[in-house]
Amino acid sequence: MPVILIGIEIDNDYGVLNVSSFSPGLIIGIFTLLVIGVIGAILIASKLIGGFNRHYENEQPFECGLFSSSVAKHNFSISYYLIAVAFLIFELEAAILLAWGVDYWTLGISGVITAVLFITILLLGLVYMLRKGVFKVGAFEL
């Protein structure tokens, strides 16, 4: 005989919930609450077990057995950051094109047109960055 528990029917000999009767939103909500609960429990346990004592010695940078003797802040040229962002963009392009290459035969001509359009837009961005001088680093220019 099936037992109804909060709108979920238990209809097996072992009394185990049939998870397939849950809606996806309910499963995601339960999982979210579970994750938030675990994170909260870890933070509370860390605070209770470890405590928190702020001392000047604990706040100082320490590397290789020596305390720092100078300020560690150095100013970098903006071109380093622009090159890093360009690298990330083209690295992401490689990952997207890898997924496209795996599914090449099932995408058909629309997939080829989309990939060509995607590569064209990225190449136009590369030309724009070259014209703006993003890749000028010191005396070296690409």
Side-chain angles (χ1 to χ4, degrees):
M1 173 172 196
V3 177
I4 297 180
L5 174 70
I6 315 172
I8 301 164
E9 187 175 313
I10 300 175
D11 191 20
N12 54 22
D13 296 333
Y14 303 107
V16 179
L17 289 175
N18 186 5
V19 180
S20 63
S21 63
F22 287 125
S23 70
L26 182 63
I27 292 174
I28 292 172
I30 291 172
F31 183 73
T32 302
L33 290 175
L34 182 68
V35 167
I36 290 171
V38 167
I39 290 172
I42 290 172
L43 289 174
I44 290 171
S46 171
K47 183 72 172 170
L48 292 175
I49 294 171
F52 185 74
N53 297 323
R54 208 173 255 242
H55 295 292
Y56 178 76
E57 295 85 20
N58 294 340
E59 299 290 325
Q60 297 305 308
F62 185 77
E63 184 176 345
C64 299
L66 299 172
F67 289 104
S68 63
S69 60
S70 66
V71 177
K73 183 178 180 183
H74 299 288
N75 293 327
F76 289 101
S77 172
I78 190 69
S79 62
Y80 291 112
Y81 298 107
L82 293 174
I83 290 171
V85 169
F87 172 76
L88 290 175
I89 290 170
F90 288 104
E91 188 69 22
L92 182 63
E93 172 204 8
I96 290 172
L97 287 178
L98 176 69
W100 171 80
V102 168
D103 209 20
Y104 173 78
W105 294 108
T106 58
L107 291 174
I109 191 68
S110 66
V112 173
I113 292 171
T114 305
V116 168
L117 181 66
F118 177 67
I119 292 171
T120 304
I121 291 171
L122 284 171
L123 286 176
L124 288 174
L126 179 63
V127 169
Y128 177 78
M129 289 190 311
L130 284 171
R131 287 192 177 187
K132 284 293 188 179
V134 169
F135 300 111
K136 287 183 183 176
V137 180
F140 179 75
E141 182 179 343
L142 184 64

